[in-house]
Amino acid sequence: MIDTTVDVINKLGLHARASGKLIEVTTKFNSNIQIGKGEKLIDAKNIMALLMLGAGKGTTLRLVVDGPDEEQALSEVQALFAAKFYEAD
C-alpha cells in the first residue's frame, strides 16, 4: 500500500474536466485508489465523489493506492496532477 499526497496546481482545481481525466487514468488499474482530504477518503474511480471533494488550486490531497499495479497507478496519477491535467494556463 502506498500512502502519499498530491498537490492540485492547475488553475481551476479538480473541476469536471479534470475529474474526468483522472477517472480515465484510475479506471485503467485494478488497484484500489482513494483520494481525499486528511482522513476523509473517497473512491478515485467515482466521478461524483471526486466532484464533491471541492479541491481547488492549492489543495493538498491524500492519495492511497493499494493493489497489484499500485506503483504504475501512482506514477500515472502523479504525472496527471504534475501536468495540470493537460489544461492551458
Side-chain angles (χ1 to χ4, degrees):
M1 180 174 83
I2 302 168
D3 191 337
T4 188
T5 61
V6 289
D7 295 320
V8 180
I9 59 174
N10 61 311
K11 185 167 60 171
L12 299 175
L14 204 52
H15 60 96
R17 192 174 314 114
S19 293
K21 288 180 181 179
L22 182 55
I23 293 289
E24 287 177 18
V25 170
T26 58
T27 55
K28 294 190 310 188
F29 297 100
N30 292 320
S31 293
N32 180 25
I33 304 171
Q34 295 183 304
I35 196 164
K37 299 175 184 175
E39 295 302 311
K40 183 181 184 275
L41 294 175
I42 56 99
D43 182 1
K45 297 179 183 183
N46 181 323
I47 188 82
M48 292 307 294
L50 284 173
L51 292 172
M52 296 298 286
L53 268 180
K57 182 176 181 176
T59 303
T60 297
L61 295 173
R62 182 174 170 211
L63 180 63
V64 179
V65 187
D66 186 25
D69 49 8
E70 63 189 26
E71 303 255 340
Q72 183 66 30
L74 174 67
S75 176
E76 289 196 30
V77 169
Q78 287 176 324
L80 184 63
F81 274 83
K84 301 180 182 178
F85 298 92
Y86 305 103
E87 297 173 352
D89 282 333

